[in-house]
Amino acid sequence: MDRIPPQKSSSFSPATFREERLGRNLSLGAIKISEHAPAVRVKEEAEEGRGGVDNAGAGEGEGAAGEEAAPPEEAAEPDLAMLSAEVDAFLAGREGDAPTSISEVTLDKFASAVEQEMAQSEGDDDKWAVGENGEAAPLLAAIRRISALAAALTAVPEGSKFTIGVHRVTGVLHRAMAFVEDEFHTMLEDPRVAKAAQNGDTRSATGKSMRRGPSFNHAGGDPASDGGGGGGGGGDTPPPFPPETVDRLRAMADAMIAVGYMTECTQVFLVARRNALDASLQNLGYEKASIDDVVRMAWESLESDVATWIKAFHHTINVGLSAEHDLCARVFAGCDAAVGRAIFVDLARCAMLQMLNFTEAVAMTKRAAEKLFKVLDMYEAVRDAAPVIDAFIAACSTTDAAADEPDTTTDALTDIKTELASVRSRLGESAAAIFCDLESSIRADAGKQPVPGGAVHPLTRYLMNYLKYACEYKNTLEQVFHEHHRTDIDADDEGSDPFAAQLMEVMELLHDNLEAKSRLYKDPALCSIFLMNNGRYMLQKIRGSPEINAVVGEAWSRKRSTDLRQYHKNYQRETWSRVLTLLRDDGVITVKGSVQKPVLKERFKQFNAAMDEIQRTQGAWVVSDEQLQSELRVSIAAVVVPAYRSFLGRFSQSFSAGRQAEKYIKLSAEDLEAIIDELFDGNAVSMPRRRN
């Protein structure tokens, strides 16, 4: 004879599963089979009134069917324990040689008792609690028993009197599964449900008041680890699942799987944990964005989103995935281990693909120098995720090998690792291209307007600070350039460093660019000041950063120091050699021991004019580095002041005291020192009158 299998409720069909679950009323009262078959109900009540004849009877007492029924008294609540004993006896008899019969009335009462147990369990903190000896909670035990009963009833040959009982029992079974499913989903999506239950908040049983701000930080891990790996901050992070909650989740999962609801159980788990994962990312400030939205986004906004992505990605890799792996393993420990692993892999794939799509979009945006460091941050985050995935692959491989099962989860995790490597490669390629674009930026900066006062050029400041910061990513950039180097820069030297070679290329281009810009100054002395300023700035940045100094090398620094000394000499030659010539007696001022006053007067006039010009022009020149400014002033004073003091000592007496001396000797040696001390301040002033 054909057997009647238990039919699953339509509420679990793929099209209506989600909507039906959300709208389901969990306050289940007793559901009578009279709603299915009133005639059978009347007959069974009549039989119960005459002594409870079981199904083995062959229609005794038919004459009493026509008697007037007494007014029904209010039925007593079904005794679940007593009915469970009858059901257990029936189930045990089904396996023996002498099957035990059971009445439709008993089936109805037992189904009602299970419904009553569900209704009473709402708000019960311990309805899913596992006993001290590992025994199932009464509600789960009742659900398992009614599941076994439904399976046994469907094995009864067609034509028996259990047809109505089958529908009654299986109907209650499906409602029980819906009840377990909702509780399973609520507890999975928000661990605070368990905390609220422990504190007496019965609303948490339905999940109506607690489904906000769920988290994937759970599975009995250390709550303090929530901030690890850069994933901290950005929202109210709920507590992890306590161990007793995980035990209850496992009991519910075992019950659903044992009843044949494996698909529904895994679907609910995946949906709940995906929702929790999404909500946790939102708590960290991360919001999903399409590739088109990211590509069109202004960098100011995108830069902030990248920083948030990095924080969320670190949290997912270092906290979230390990917690999800642990939760999957523990909740599904009672069944095939492959179930928990498969669910974890699905969760990991969804999390990774969602977040890696963002990196793909960033790599597709227009290249710009200011994007380099955020791209490198993303590159490092993706690179550092690979060992975590490797650890999961190793764990799954060990389990699969022990179980002698196909390595499907390992293959799926390997796919995730492959995708990580692909995204890392695109980010690395983007970073290398951005850095190499510095060459084009330098070549394009060919302005024809010199910087006032010979000050440090903005290009020098920007580029040296940029390179200094880039060298803080030295190890990462070396890795990037080894993967994406330019052969024309790296050549074929196996021991060469492509990043160092590229950086030196940029430095040489900057030096050449500054040499060209120095020629914009008409005054050769100012040209030397400009080169001194910029060269000194470059050298200080290099020596002030161990990272960039290690890349550039001491030989380059020594060469630039030599250049600086030469610029200094050039400046002194162009400015002060002419002044010193005026202070020398080259046989023209004194002829045969006699001072030629007209020549002496002309020399003082020329000296005064030269100093006035120097003070007026070079006082407006800029040397912002205090050490270089001091070095210049000291070197000038060391040469010029003694020469002037000597010149005054020899020839000041040639003028008569009073107006004549004041007319030609306008500066004392101290005045000259004061003028020199005011050079390179960026302020043009007039020559002071002689101090008395």
Side-chain angles (χ1 to χ4, degrees):
M1 299 291 291
D2 294 335
R3 296 179 179 179
I4 305 172
Q7 302 298 314
K8 289 188 178 181
S9 168
S10 62
S11 65
F12 291 93
S13 65
T16 61
F17 171 75
R18 194 72 55 242
E19 291 78 10
E20 290 291 332
R21 181 176 59 75
L22 295 176
R24 205 173 280 134
N25 180 6
L26 301 183
S27 299
L28 299 176
I31 303 174
K32 302 298 183 182
I33 63 174
S34 59
E35 62 186 347
H36 301 289
V40 175
R41 164 63 64 195
V42 172
K43 180 178 179 181
E44 290 180 347
E45 289 178 351
E47 290 176 345
E48 183 180 8
R50 293 197 311 273
V53 180
D54 61 24
N55 288 318
E60 299 180 19
E62 292 179 0
E67 296 178 6
E68 183 177 352
E73 298 179 1
E74 186 172 341
E77 290 188 3
D79 186 338
L80 179 60
M82 183 179 67
L83 292 168
S84 295
E86 291 187 45
V87 170
D88 289 343
F90 171 71
L91 294 175
R94 296 289 301 167
E95 299 175 357
D97 296 333
T100 303
S101 61
I102 193 169
S103 69
E104 294 275 11
V105 173
T106 300
L107 295 178
D108 179 45
K109 285 185 175 181
F110 179 67
S112 298
V114 173
E115 289 180 320
Q116 186 72 19
E117 181 72 17
M118 285 190 291
Q120 292 176 349
S121 69
E122 290 195 66
D124 183 1
D125 299 348
D126 299 322
K127 59 178 172 291
W128 309 116
V130 179
E132 293 182 359
N133 298 323
E135 68 272 11
L139 178 58
L140 282 176
I143 291 173
R144 289 176 179 174
R145 186 172 284 110
I146 200 170
S147 170
L149 179 60
L153 292 177
T154 57
V156 175
E158 187 177 14
S160 73
K161 297 182 180 180
F162 292 129
T163 302
I164 299 301
V166 168
H167 288 291
R168 174 77 172 122
V169 169
T170 55
V172 173
L173 174 62
H174 296 322
R175 288 170 174 80
M177 285 298 99
F179 180 72
V180 174
E181 178 192 337
D182 272 334
E183 294 278 322
F184 192 57
H185 180 279
T186 299
M187 195 174 295
L188 276 169
E189 196 170 64
D190 195 340
R192 289 177 296 184
V193 171
K195 295 290 184 182
Q198 293 171 0
N199 294 331
D201 185 354
T202 59
R203 295 176 300 165
S204 63
T206 64
K208 301 301 182 182
S209 64
M210 298 299 294
R211 288 195 183 183
R212 60 183 185 276
S215 169
F216 61 4
N217 182 30
H218 56 277
D222 183 2
S225 67
D226 182 49
D236 179 20
T237 304
F241 286 122
E244 60 271 17
T245 301
V246 177
D247 292 340
R248 295 173 186 183
L249 287 169
R250 181 169 57 251
M252 286 188 277
D254 290 346
M256 293 181 73
I257 292 172
V259 175
Y261 281 73
M262 168 76 80
T263 300
E264 289 78 7
C265 180
T266 55
Q267 282 180 348
V268 169
F269 192 98
L270 280 170
V271 170
R273 296 316 302 157
R274 285 176 186 170
N275 291 343
L277 175 63
D278 290 342
S280 289
L281 295 178
Q282 290 174 3
N283 285 345
L284 293 169
Y286 177 75
E287 297 286 348
K288 295 179 182 179
S290 69
I291 291 179
D292 289 340
D293 290 340
V294 173
V295 171
R296 290 194 299 264
M297 197 177 297
W299 174 243
E300 290 74 13
S301 300
L302 183 56
E303 184 177 22
S304 175
D305 287 353
V306 169
T308 301
W309 179 91
I310 292 168
K311 179 173 64 176
F313 188 77
H314 276 306
H315 183 88
T316 300
I317 290 295
N318 298 323
V319 179
L321 290 186
S322 60
E324 293 296 341
H325 182 268
D326 184 51
L327 183 64
C328 291
R330 294 171 64 188
V331 169
F332 295 97
C335 60
D336 188 348
V339 175
R341 293 201 306 273
I343 293 174
F344 165 71
V345 169
D346 197 355
L347 285 170
R349 181 170 51 243
C350 290
M352 289 295 98
L353 291 181
Q354 172 187 334
M355 303 206 77
L356 293 181
N357 282 340
F358 181 82
T359 65
E360 293 267 11
V362 172
M364 292 169 59
T365 60
K366 185 178 179 180
R367 295 199 302 262
E370 63 269 17
K371 297 181 181 180
L372 174 65
F373 306 111
K374 288 303 181 185
V375 171
L376 288 174
D377 287 338
M378 298 178 75
Y379 176 92
E380 290 177 344
V382 173
R383 177 198 64 194
D384 296 343
V388 179
I389 302 301
D390 284 337
F392 289 130
I393 292 175
C396 290
S397 298
T398 302
T399 306
D400 288 337
D404 193 22
E405 297 175 348
D407 202 11
T408 55
T409 54
T410 301
D411 291 342
L413 287 171
T414 302
D415 291 341
I416 295 175
K417 183 180 176 182
T418 301
E419 183 62 25
L420 281 171
S422 176
V423 170
R424 168 185 161 183
S425 177
R426 281 188 285 276
L427 289 170
E429 183 178 3
S430 177
I434 290 172
F435 193 85
C436 291
D437 284 348
L438 290 175
E439 294 184 23
S440 302
S441 299
I442 295 171
R443 292 190 178 98
D445 195 315
K448 301 301 182 182
Q449 190 67 30
V451 177
V456 177
H457 198 281
L459 176 64
T460 306
R461 291 186 184 276
Y462 172 78
L463 202 57
M464 291 308 301
N465 283 294
Y466 190 92
L467 295 178
K468 179 178 179 292
Y469 192 33
C471 284
E472 294 182 11
Y473 292 83
K474 177 177 176 290
N475 294 337
T476 301
L477 281 167
E478 286 176 351
Q479 187 175 14
V480 164
F481 273 88
H482 274 295
E483 296 169 356
H484 308 282
H485 65 271
R486 286 171 47 186
T487 55
D488 60 321
I489 294 296
D490 188 28
D492 295 321
D493 184 0
E494 294 182 358
S496 65
D497 181 350
F499 168 62
Q502 182 63 44
L503 185 141
M504 294 308 299
E505 180 75 8
V506 171
M507 295 287 288
E508 290 301 325
L509 279 173
L510 175 60
H511 180 265
D512 293 344
N513 184 281
L514 293 172
E515 289 277 1
K517 284 179 167 53
S518 71
R519 291 190 284 273
L520 297 174
Y521 296 99
K522 297 179 181 179
D523 189 334
L526 183 55
C527 170
S528 297
I529 290 293
F530 173 77
L531 291 174
M532 251 191 294
N533 273 325
N534 287 270
R536 183 60 168 259
Y537 187 86
M538 293 170 66
L539 198 59
Q540 283 192 325
K541 286 296 179 181
I542 291 170
R543 287 180 170 168
S545 168
E547 293 82 9
I548 191 171
N549 194 38
V551 175
V552 171
E554 191 59 33
W556 189 93
S557 296
R558 285 197 301 268
K559 184 177 184 300
R560 289 295 167 253
S561 295
T562 301
D563 291 340
L564 283 177
R565 287 192 293 270
Q566 187 59 49
Y567 299 147
H568 192 163
K569 291 178 181 178
N570 293 344
Y571 162 74
Q572 286 198 318
R573 183 181 63 250
E574 293 296 336
T575 299
W576 300 103
S577 293
R578 180 167 56 89
V579 173
L580 292 173
T581 300
L582 295 174
L583 299 177
R584 283 199 295 266
D585 183 4
D586 49 6
V588 177
I589 299 176
T590 303
V591 179
K592 296 180 181 181
S594 176
V595 175
Q596 304 297 310
K597 280 193 174 183
V599 176
L600 181 60
K601 291 178 180 179
E602 185 61 28
R603 285 292 180 90
F604 271 106
K605 287 173 63 176
Q606 290 177 354
F607 177 81
N608 293 335
M611 290 307 302
D612 188 58
E613 177 66 17
I614 289 171
Q615 185 179 26
R616 183 177 58 81
T617 57
Q618 297 193 20
W621 294 358
V622 178
V623 177
S624 54
D625 181 77
E626 293 183 358
Q627 184 178 352
L628 177 59
Q629 186 186 73
S630 177
E631 290 174 359
L632 282 168
R633 290 171 176 173
V634 169
S635 65
I636 294 167
V639 175
V640 177
V641 173
Y644 184 63
R645 185 175 280 115
S646 176
F647 190 78
L648 280 179
R650 288 183 61 187
F651 299 109
S652 61
Q653 302 302 322
S654 300
F655 299 104
S656 57
R659 295 182 59 186
Q660 188 180 43
E662 292 179 358
K663 180 178 180 181
Y664 295 103
I665 305 176
K666 295 183 177 296
L667 297 173
S668 66
E670 290 74 18
D671 293 331
L672 184 58
E673 287 180 339
I675 291 173
I676 294 172
D677 284 342
E678 292 174 354
L679 298 180
F680 318 120
D681 274 339
N683 298 311
V685 294
S686 299
M687 190 170 69
R689 289 195 174 273
R690 180 178 178 178
R691 300 171 188 167
N692 295 323

